[in-house]
Each structure stands twice: as C-alpha cells, then as structure tokens.
Amino acid sequence: MKKFSTYIIEEKNTHMEHIEDNVLNGGVQGARESIYFLRSLRDMLAGNNDSAVNVSVKWDGAPAIFAGTDPTDGKFFVAKKGVFNKNPKVYKTDKDIDADTKGDLNTKMKLALKHLPELNIKGVIQGDFLFAKRDLKKQKVQGKSYITFHPNTIVYAVPTDVPLAREISKAKIGIVWHTSYSGNTFEDMKASFGKNIADSLTASSNVWSVDAEYKDMSGNATLTKKKTKDITDILSNAGKTFNKIDASGLNGISENPELLMRMKTFLNTKVRAGEKVIDVSKTVDEMIDYFHNYYQIETEKRKSEKGKAAVDERKREVMKYFSDTNKTNLQNILTLMNYLVDAKEILIKQMNKVKGLDTFLLTDKGFKATGQEGFVAIDRVGKNAVKLVDRMNFSYANFSPEVKKGWQR
C-alpha cells in the first residue's frame, strides 16, 4: 500500500486530495492522518500556538504556473504541470510557447515569461494565474464599486477606494504562489508547502504577487469554546467509528486501483449533484448498483467475445470486495468520512471569517457572496498537505451551469 504522503503530493504539487478522500486513498494510515490534521486545525483555531499544522488559502486561479531556473542549464523558464514529465516541458522563449499553446493560455504564458524574471526567483516556485491586465474589470457588485478578476469559478473583488485596488490596476499580471521546489533535476525535485514565497521575491509593479499563506491578524477565526467542543465531539465519534472498521477491509480499497477509482467516481457524482450522504446503508446499495451498471455498459461497448470476457473478469475481481462483511465495513467507512466532513465544514466556516478580498459567484441572477475555494492544511515540516473544500457548495458551483466561469467569454 502507498504511504499517505504519496497520495497527497507524490513529491510534486500536481494533485492534492480532499481530506475525507484519504480515508479511501490511504487506508488505515490515511484515516489516521485525516483525523490528525483536523485535530491540529482545531487546536490552531482554538489559539494553541503549538499546533502541528500551517494553513494556506486555496485560491481559485487558473492556469497553474511554474517558474524559475532550469537546474540543468541555469536559464529562466515558465511551464505548466508538464514540467515534471520524464521529458520536462518548459518554455524559455516565445517560440517555445507558440509551439505548444494557443489562445488565452498562450497569452498568459508569454506575459509570465516577459515579466516574472523581474522577481529574481531563486530555484523553482509554483502558483496559480489570477489575472492578466485585460481580465481586470471595474464593476458594481451589490451596490459597491470594485476592481474584479474572475480566473475560474470565483470572482475576486477589491473595493476601488483602497490602495490594493490601485496596486492591482497597475499590474500586468497577478499570481498567487504556494509551493517551492528544490533539487538538481526536475525529476528529483521535492515540494515544500506553506513558505512565504512572495516575501523572498523582488517587488515589481508589473507583477502582483501574493502568498497563499492563511493569516488571521484580527482574531476573527478563533474558535469559541462551544465550537471547539463541537469539533472535539465530532472527532471523538470519528475515532470510535474508525475503531469499528476492519483494517484489511479499509486497506483493501486503496490496494485495488480500479475499485478505488470507481468508488471515488461514484461518490463524486453525489457531490456534483449537491447530495450529502445521509443514509449510509442505502448509499452502499446504490454504490453496488453503480458498479453493476458501469461494467454492464463497459461490456456492451466491446464487440468481441474476448473483450467482453476481459470486462467480466475485471468485474468479478472488483465485485469480490462487496461481501456482506465489507458492506458493513463500507457503511462505517462512509460514516467516518461524514464525521470528517462535519468537522471540516465547521473549520472552513470559521476560517472564511478572515478574507483579504471579497469573493462572489456570478450567476444568471447576478452576484452571490461566497467563501474561499477552500484551504490547505500543511504539516510543520511542509511536506504533507491535504485540501479542505466545502464540496457541497464550491464543488457543486464548479460544475453547475447556473454559475458562470471566468473562461466563459
């Protein structure tokens, strides 16, 4: 079985898992780690300065961007996530960008290549593109005048009468930085989260750089004694449920890639539909029906008997998991995940009380106030990280046709 940290970052920040999903991804170890992260976040927000985690804000930027010095030749580059391919795909000239991209991505990569060298980046850093100058708009939102940018699902808004609005208006591009890398080759690089990256960069009026680090200077996010107790009670129930789960049954999910992928796909359909899992017994039955239907469709796609037989064999191997014992185990696993979500949602709501910028969703009926996309919990070493997202709201909005996205021009 892979270690929990392998699922989180695989030593590169190209994909990060939801904290509740690591019960499935990491088995027993993943479940323990998820409970640990939530306890540590509770302690941090309760005012315990010795908390074992840091937190960063998950900005809703796009595309992801890497920049810095190519360790093989010392030249400056910008890149997409292909930087960590076996044959790294990096852009050092406009010609490189033209050969691999087009449209809005082409424009933004060229702007990044032009202006990011002004920051004197040391090593390699990763962030998310927030805006190019042409993306900035002056808009009235709920009667208030703002400078806005809309990179993906969330509209970020800065009141026009504050100094930050003038700073952003002067910039050619805006980027939030969240990860730094070290290593002698791209393939060997290790990720470090939660560093004050922007503070180490040379200031440039052409680039609005911001750190993803979560900062509560106001004390607004501090948990009350009651909310601290609420989370403690939830995590206590999570621990009791965890102790009921058969370890081999839980690890059996993470050890079977097809079972894991299909199970997460099924649960994601619930999220996208805005449906919270309440009746775990009914949900397990629905999951089994989903598996049967999936393999039926896959069988019908195959034209040869050999192809159909191969799908049937895959189905038999996967469906072995759904014994009566494991069905009960699955109910406990889903119950555990629900407890983690309940604790997570209280923490997210509390952390959302601290906002540097106003955030909205743009719908057919106008602007609707929303919280941040989410947060990232990082251990003090800066190597392990998981994301905390209010999936019932943000993930639903991300797929809802009622919510306009920044790239829908």
Side-chain angles (χ1 to χ4, degrees), residues 139-152:
Q139 291 182 292
K140 279 208 167 183
V141 181
Q142 298 176 356
K144 191 172 182 178
S145 181
Y146 286 101
I147 296 292
T148 68
F149 51 94
H150 189 185
N152 198 8

Side-chain angles (χ1 to χ4, degrees), residues 202-367:
T202 301
S204 167
S205 60
N206 290 320
V207 183
W208 184 65
S209 280
V210 62
D211 274 313
E213 183 185 12
Y214 178 79
K215 298 175 183 177
D216 178 16
M217 307 301 290
S218 63
N220 288 337
T222 303
L223 285 167
T224 63
K225 288 183 179 180
K226 183 183 182 305
K227 286 187 178 178
T228 302
K229 182 180 182 302
D230 289 343
I231 295 172
T232 300
D233 289 344
I234 291 169
L235 293 179
S236 175
N237 288 330
K240 292 173 184 175
T241 303
F242 175 56
N243 289 333
K244 295 178 184 178
I245 297 171
D246 176 70
S248 61
L250 179 53
N251 289 338
I253 298 171
S254 59
E255 291 168 350
N256 187 325
E258 183 160 2
L259 174 66
L260 173 64
M261 179 180 65
R262 296 263 62 85
M263 199 173 283
K264 287 172 65 178
T265 300
F266 166 76
L267 293 173
N268 278 335
T269 62
K270 296 282 188 184
V271 172
R272 293 185 183 187
E275 297 177 17
K276 190 167 184 176
V277 173
I278 297 173
D279 186 335
V280 293
S281 177
K282 179 182 176 184
T283 301
V284 170
D285 289 338
E286 290 174 350
M287 183 186 294
I288 294 171
D289 287 342
Y290 163 83
F291 272 80
H292 281 297
N293 291 335
Y294 169 78
Y295 286 111
Q296 179 65 36
I297 292 170
E298 288 297 299
T299 299
E300 291 172 356
K301 288 180 182 177
R302 304 304 188 268
K303 295 182 178 179
S304 69
E305 291 304 315
K306 184 178 180 180
K308 293 178 186 293
V311 174
D312 287 342
E313 180 59 28
R314 282 168 52 204
K315 178 180 179 180
R316 276 193 294 272
E317 285 301 310
V318 169
M319 297 308 291
K320 284 179 183 177
Y321 182 83
F322 295 100
S323 65
D324 288 342
T325 299
N326 272 341
K327 283 177 69 176
T328 301
N329 220 36
L330 264 173
Q331 291 173 20
N332 286 326
I333 290 168
L334 293 178
T335 299
L336 170 59
M337 292 173 70
N338 278 345
Y339 281 130
L340 299 183
V341 170
D342 290 343
K344 176 188 75 170
E345 288 178 351
I346 295 174
L347 292 166
I348 288 174
K349 187 174 182 180
Q350 201 68 20
M351 288 188 287
N352 265 329
K353 292 184 177 181
V354 178
K355 291 169 64 174
L357 280 67
D358 290 337
T359 48
F360 301 93
L361 299 175
L362 179 57
T363 73
D364 293 332
K365 297 179 181 179
F367 289 96

Side-chain angles (χ1 to χ4, degrees), residues 8-10 12-17 58-59 61-67 77-91 100-101 105 109 124-129 152 178-179 181 186-187 189 373 387:
I8 297 173
I9 55 173
E10 296 178 331
K12 309 287 191 295
N13 184 10
T14 54
H15 181 69
M16 193 177 296
E17 291 289 351
K58 196 172 187 306
W59 289 66
I65 186 166
F66 297 76
F77 76 91
V78 296
K80 304 178 295 181
K81 290 183 180 180
V83 67
F84 296 128
N85 291 348
K86 188 171 183 180
N87 296 311
K89 187 174 288 187
V90 298
Y91 311 133
D100 191 53
T101 68
L105 178 61
M109 284 294 170
V124 176
I125 58 178
Q126 177 186 353
D128 291 302
F129 220 107
N152 198 8
H178 51 70
T179 310
Y181 293 88
F186 288 123
E187 191 172 6
M189 281 186 173
E373 176 186 346
K387 60 186 178 183

